Amino acid sequence: MDRYAVIGHPIAHSKSPQIHAAFARQTAQDMCYEAILAPLDGFAAAVRAFRAAGGRGMNVTVPFKLEAFALAERRTPRAQAAGAVNTLAFDAGGLLGDNTDGAGLVRDLTANHGCALRGRRVLLLGAGGAARGALLPLLAEGPAVLTIANRTVAKAESLAATFLPSTAETQLSACGFDGLAGQHFDLVINATAASLADQAPPLPPGLYAEEAFAYDMMYGRGDTPFIAAARADGAARLADGLGMLVEQAAESFALWRGLRPDSTAVLAALRRQLGAG
């Protein structure tokens, strides 16, 4: 039986073992998937030990995505662009690092929510690792405008400058939250950590165009603070990041096993579980 795992600190909250077990049952794959709590100073040693024991691949969660990037001997273009790795595959070529977060976000938006991005005006809130991981997959969808807004303007500008070579179809720009006043967007994505602190980013009112979509990468029971604020500001459609979690897992599974599972039933079961908790 092939072994896989998710590694992080903390890790007990992770839904990845449940998700990948469901994918394995659905696709009749002979594999197991576990959670590994790594010491904060012991990530690389834990990865090497798991591989030496016959492990085939790992998902990587906080706070080890940058260390996984450094540890990887080869990286996919999307991992290179993100500057972080959330998926490791162990093969004859060594340690391959990938980043499936942005692809999971885009698939959730387009396949699960029917939100086409081509030609749309998109606002990405935040300029940290979550935003960076999303940018290349978002730009590949060809939005007309993609604005990065962050509390620290210089950080948003630096991130935009990094991705300017990838923007043939898209007007890419950066500003602070107060610089958004008077602008309107079709899709607003919260990639900040504000929801973790039970807060919403300090946005000016009137951001949402007609039929606009507000999407929070975070998820929980009920509305996140960002979703609640977007609802109050007139966003027509709202979604949290539970679908992104499942879709990025499906991307990892496809990398490891060579086939993509159907995420629909797994996402529905998780949503029911979250609602019942």
Side-chain angles (χ1 to χ4, degrees):
M1 180 179 290
D2 294 335
R3 293 179 62 202
Y4 298 89
V6 59
I7 184 169
H9 188 114
I11 201 61
H13 68 287
S14 176
K15 291 183 170 27
S16 292
Q18 178 183 348
I19 293 169
H20 283 278
F23 287 162
R25 287 192 301 270
Q26 179 196 111
T27 57
Q29 296 294 293
D30 187 20
M31 59 178 278
C32 63
Y33 188 106
E34 61 197 88
I36 295 175
L37 176 69
L40 290 175
D41 60 353
F43 169 74
V47 171
R48 292 189 181 106
F50 183 72
R51 186 184 183 198
R56 297 284 302 273
M58 303 182 88
N59 285 126
V60 181
T61 188
V62 292
F64 298 127
K65 292 183 182 183
L66 297 182
E67 286 187 65
F69 182 88
L71 190 65
E73 295 157 353
R74 292 149 34 237
R75 305 180 190 99
T76 63
R78 59 192 183 185
Q80 196 68 44
V85 159
N86 80 331
T87 303
L88 290 167
F90 310 145
D91 57 25
L95 268 66
L96 173 67
D98 195 7
N99 190 305
T100 65
D101 286 332
L105 166 67
V106 167
R107 186 171 178 92
D108 189 36
L109 285 166
T110 57
N112 296 333
H113 295 290
C115 178
L117 299 176
R118 185 164 301 280
R120 301 298 181 88
R121 297 176 57 86
V122 177
L123 171 60
L124 183 63
L125 303 173
R132 187 182 184 98
L135 266 170
L136 193 64
L138 285 172
L139 289 168
E141 294 295 308
V145 170
L146 200 159
T147 300
I148 304 167
N150 192 57
R151 192 182 300 271
T152 305
V153 181
K155 195 172 180 183
E157 290 174 340
S158 175
L159 185 56
T162 301
F163 283 84
L164 276 175
S166 308
T167 57
E169 295 181 77
T170 305
Q171 178 188 325
L172 180 63
S173 63
C175 64
F177 293 139
D178 55 355
L180 295 169
Q183 299 189 58
H184 306 285
F185 296 92
D186 303 304
L187 170 64
V188 180
I189 301 169
N190 181 30
T192 74
S195 290
L196 292 177
D198 202 31
Q199 299 173 350
L203 305 176
L207 279 181
Y208 295 95
E210 189 176 352
E211 300 302 315
F213 193 177
Y215 187 100
D216 197 343
M217 287 190 185
M218 302 298 174
Y219 66 91
R221 294 184 175 90
D223 286 351
T224 65
F226 167 77
I227 292 294
R231 186 191 302 278
D233 196 34
R237 302 182 63 199
L238 307 156
D240 66 14
L242 189 64
M244 175 181 172
L245 174 71
V246 174
E247 295 298 348
Q248 65 80 25
E251 287 279 324
S252 296
F253 190 94
L255 175 71
W256 293 329
R257 308 302 295 181
L259 74 169
R260 186 182 180 90
D262 180 2
S263 57
T264 307
V266 177
L267 175 55
L270 272 182
R271 184 71 71 191
R272 287 194 300 271
Q273 184 185 86
L274 201 62

